[in-house]
């Protein structure tokens, strides 16, 4: 066997400095702000402790199997998502483009969360904090509204200066724009060298949030009323398990929190050596991610229990998403000793969580581009700069006064359905087209053992079925429920906008404008359309055999391959594919081609094939 047995396809491909760097970057990608503000809200909303039942089931049959599949794909092919799917079959190349587009959509709007957290981190050094009652301006007409809920008033009126609707731009918010620039400078600084710089940054960005979470946990559980808040989070109501929406929420949270479908996991794994146990990696990162969700839920709800004890605001009266971090948490922390310290620690933790997730999704756009000749000649630093600048400009409108509404539009429509479609096509492409026997042999060569039957059942049957159910449910729900968003209108006594009456919760649901609905439809179509386009365009393209690694051939790990053609399947076995181009027959009668010619044994009598 030659010295090059485990060598990658591209000799100059970047590598992680160590396996620990990969694990930290993977944890950082999976663990994001959603673990802190989305999971606790969903758990409290969907039966408390009972929500852990569907959550753990979905983790076992949907989350970890798909996570494992993506890591194995990236590690086996050592390329970005577009090239991988093109090599499996030309007509599957659309899956790779869909992953790049959905990653682009994610990286356009997700940094605004980091921007808001960065802005609040800066404000946390004020004394007193700007969202306390004493800071309400007595000269304002809505002074009474501010006194009733100073944190909510500051969030909408002072920090984001929210307009009355998505159609009213209102101009830029200066503080938010400055933080937006800083967030993209930080992103580029940690990414421009690829895994070399990303791996080093992960030592801090992936570990620091846990230090802060532990400190907040120690402080939170010692506060008066903490037990009441934790009880609200975990008190089980098993009757909700009969509600299909609870299972849909669990499946959606698992799918999105693990970052499956973006192509980022494929990119990260492609920087690993061929010989690496990606099964253990996937289980470790997935369990850390979900454990972080539960742990952060305890932290947040212990502090919300303290809020109820001091302000009278019920623990259950909390919204998911930004409202949990910027309104509920800030209200609670204002009543704590040393409020500036705990506010700064919390929002700095949120910045690092958001920055971690941003790394992976930007990398999921850059790496596939580097696999193309036109971009391969461009220095990585320049390509990364161009990509970051484009995303910076596209997302800049979210720094305007109507930016909260634009963010909600992107968040609701740009990722949900496209990711489910990508995940479903991944299962079909790997299990039914690339072939489960071949995929299992790949994993056996990389990890040293054949994947358990459990993984095979999930990949081929259970995970695709669940994805179909969640996808159809999401589409039906979006078609049935009117397309609305919550606009800030102010309190009932003093409405925020002239001519628009206020409400008890300060928000009013109004329908999206026609152009917003059109843009929402475009965000769904833009990633997904590449899949059918390539299926139709490349349906008759020549199928080039995928080479085996030299080490797999030397160990006799090649398998009999049954030819697969898309038209052959669609027409129900009407035409039998009888020949394969560019193949050779080995001594055992099996067909294969060699991945790395330099790794061929010098004593081998196998003929070379130009693929």
């Amino acid at each position: 066997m030659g010295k090059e047995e485990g060598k990658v396809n591209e000799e100059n491909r970047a590598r992680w400095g160590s396996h620990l760097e990969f694990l930290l970057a993977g944890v950082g990608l999976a663990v994001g702000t959603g673990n802190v503000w989305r999971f606790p809200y969903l758990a409290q909303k969907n039966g408390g402790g009972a929500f852990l039942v569907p959550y753990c089931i979905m983790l076992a049959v949907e989350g970890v199997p798909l996570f494992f599949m993506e890591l194995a794909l990236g590690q086996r092919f050592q390329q970005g998502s577009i090239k991988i799917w093109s090599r499996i079959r030309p007509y599957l190349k659309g899956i790779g483009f869909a992953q790049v587009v959905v990653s682009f959509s994610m990286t356009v709007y997700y940094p605004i969360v980091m921007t808001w957290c960065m802005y609040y981190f800066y404000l946390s050094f004020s004394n007193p904090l700007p969202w306390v009652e004493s800071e309400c301006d007595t000269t304002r007409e809505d002074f009474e509204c501010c006194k009733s809920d100073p944190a909510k008033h500051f969030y909408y009126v002072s920090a984001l200066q929210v307009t009355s609707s998505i159609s009213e731009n209102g101009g830029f918010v200066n503080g938010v724009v400055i933080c937006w620039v800083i967030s993209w400078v930080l992103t580029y600084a940690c990414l421009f060298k690829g895994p070399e710089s990303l791996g080093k940054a992960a030592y801090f960005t992936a570990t620091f949030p846990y230090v802060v979470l532990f400190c907040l946990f120690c402080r939170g559980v010692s506060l008066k009323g903490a037990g009441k808040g934790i009880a609200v989070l975990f008190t089980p109501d098993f009757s909700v398990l009969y509600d299909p929406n609870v299972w849909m929420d669990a499946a959606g949270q698992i799918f999105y929190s693990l970052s499956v479908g973006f192509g980022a996991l494929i990119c990260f794994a492609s920087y690993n050596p061929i010989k690496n146990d990606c099964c253990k990696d996937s289980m470790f990162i997935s369990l850390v991610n979900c454990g972080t969700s539960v742990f952060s839920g305890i932290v947040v709800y212990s502090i919300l229990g303290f809020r109820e004890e001091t302000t009278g605001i019920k623990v259950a009266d909390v919204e998911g998403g930004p409202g949990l971090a910027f309104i509920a948490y800030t209200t609670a922390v204002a009543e704590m000793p040393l409020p500036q310290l705990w506010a700064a620690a919390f929002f700095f933790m949120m910045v690092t969580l958001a920055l971690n997730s941003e790394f992976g999704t930007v990398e999921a756009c850059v790496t596939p581009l580097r696999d193309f000749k036109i971009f391969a000649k461009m220095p990585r630093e320049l390509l990364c700069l161009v990509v970051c600048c484009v995303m910076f400009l596209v997302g800049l409108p979210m720094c305007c006064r109507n930016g909260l509404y634009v963010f909600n539009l992107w968040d609701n429509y740009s990722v949900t359905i496209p990711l489910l479609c990508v995940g479903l096509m991944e299962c079909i492409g790997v299990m039914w087209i690339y072939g489960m026997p071949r995929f299992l042999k790949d994993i056996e060569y990389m990890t040293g053992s054949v994947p358990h039957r459990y993984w095979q059942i999930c990949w081929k049957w259970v995970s695709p079925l669940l994805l179909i159910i969640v996808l159809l449910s999401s589409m039906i729900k979006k078609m049935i429920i009117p397309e609305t968003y919550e606009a800030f209108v102010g309190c009932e006594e003093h409405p925020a906008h002239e001519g628009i009456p206020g409400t008890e919760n300060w928000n009013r649901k109004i329908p999206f404008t026609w152009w917003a609905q059109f843009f929402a439809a475009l965000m769904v179509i833009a990633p997904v359309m590449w899949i059918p386009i390539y299926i139709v365009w490349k349906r008759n393209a020549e199928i080039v055999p995928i080479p085996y690694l030299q080490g797999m051939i030397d160990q006799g790990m090649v398998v009999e391959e049954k030819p697969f053609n898309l038209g052959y399947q669609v027409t129900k076995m009407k035409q039998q594919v009888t020949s394969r181009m560019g193949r050779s027959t080995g001594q055992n009668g099996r067909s294969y081609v060699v991945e790395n010619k330099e790794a061929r044994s010098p004593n081998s009598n196998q003929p070379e094939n130009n693929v």
Side-chain angles (χ1 to χ4, degrees), residues 51 69 233 402 499 508:
F51 181 70
M69 177 187 288
L233 176 63
N402 66 342
R508 183 186 299 275

Side-chain angles (χ1 to χ4, degrees), residues 97-298:
F97 277 105
Q99 289 179 317
V100 172
V101 175
V102 76
S103 294
F104 179 85
S105 298
M106 181 75 172
T107 50
V108 163
Y109 82 86
Y110 191 76
I112 196 64
V113 176
M114 177 168 53
T115 298
W116 294 337
C117 292
M118 197 176 295
Y119 189 37
Y120 264 70
F121 171 70
Y122 164 74
L123 296 171
S124 296
F125 293 97
S126 305
N127 188 19
L129 292 172
W131 52 79
V132 297
E133 183 178 338
S134 61
E135 290 299 287
C136 292
D137 189 353
T138 56
T139 62
R140 290 182 60 96
E141 294 183 358
D142 59 354
F143 172 69
E144 294 299 326
C145 297
C146 181
K147 284 184 61 178
S148 65
D149 197 336
K152 181 182 289 188
H153 184 273
F154 178 80
Y155 175 65
Y156 284 114
V157 177
S158 301
L160 302 187
Q161 304 174 26
V162 179
T163 58
S164 60
S165 71
I166 194 171
S167 300
E168 184 182 351
N169 179 275
F172 288 109
V173 181
N174 293 334
V176 176
V177 172
I178 293 173
C179 292
W180 177 257
V181 174
I182 296 174
S183 68
W184 276 106
V185 170
L186 287 175
T187 300
Y188 176 74
C190 295
L191 277 177
F192 75 103
K193 287 290 186 182
E196 181 181 341
S197 56
L198 175 57
K200 299 300 182 291
Y203 280 112
F204 174 76
T205 57
T207 57
F208 180 78
Y210 290 98
V211 176
V212 178
L213 265 180
F214 180 74
C215 294
L216 290 173
F217 169 79
C218 294
R219 182 62 183 132
V221 296
S222 66
L223 294 171
K224 186 178 180 181
K228 184 184 298 183
I230 296 173
V232 171
L233 176 63
F234 288 114
T235 301
D237 177 12
F238 291 105
S239 63
V240 301
L241 297 181
Y242 297 101
D243 184 356
N245 289 322
V246 174
W247 293 84
M248 294 302 103
D249 281 345
Q253 175 64 11
I254 286 293
F255 195 81
Y256 308 131
S257 68
L258 289 177
S259 300
V260 175
F262 289 102
L265 295 173
I266 294 176
C267 295
F268 278 13
S270 72
Y271 298 129
N272 277 333
I274 289 286
K275 293 281 192 174
N276 176 62
D277 195 340
C278 50
C279 178
K280 290 182 179 178
D281 291 344
S282 62
M283 295 183 67
F284 172 77
I285 296 173
S286 299
L287 292 176
V288 168
N289 171 69
C290 297
T292 303
S293 295
V294 177
F295 185 63
S296 61
I298 296 173

Side-chain angles (χ1 to χ4, degrees), residues 463-542:
S463 296
L465 180 60
L466 282 174
L467 288 171
I468 291 173
I469 293 173
V470 175
L471 176 61
L472 292 178
S473 300
S474 300
M475 294 177 67
I476 292 172
K477 186 176 180 180
K478 289 188 180 297
M479 288 187 291
I480 294 177
I481 300 177
E483 304 297 332
T484 61
Y485 66 100
E486 290 198 350
F488 170 66
V489 295
C491 63
E492 294 177 310
E493 296 80 5
H494 297 282
H497 310 290
E498 186 176 352
I500 303 177
T503 62
E504 184 179 355
N505 68 349
W506 297 23
N507 291 314
R508 183 186 299 275
K509 286 188 175 182
I510 60 176
F512 275 115
T513 59
W514 69 267
W515 62 265
Q517 294 186 40
F518 174 79
F519 188 63
L522 188 63
M523 285 191 290
V524 174
I525 295 171
V528 177
M529 69 178 185
W530 295 101
I531 298 175
I533 285 176
Y534 267 90
I535 288 177
V536 174
W537 180 23
K538 298 289 187 177
R539 66 187 184 279
N540 295 320
E542 178 184 357

Side-chain angles (χ1 to χ4, degrees), residues 114 180-194 197-198 201 355 358-359 362-363 366 379-389 392:
M114 177 168 53
W180 177 257
V181 174
I182 296 174
S183 68
W184 276 106
V185 170
L186 287 175
T187 300
Y188 176 74
C190 295
L191 277 177
F192 75 103
K193 287 290 186 182
S197 56
L198 175 57
L355 196 60
E358 181 72 359
F359 291 160
V362 173
E363 187 65 26
V366 174
R380 181 190 164 87
E381 295 84 352
L382 179 59
L383 177 61
C384 191
L385 178 63
V386 171
V387 171
C388 288
C389 287
F392 170 87

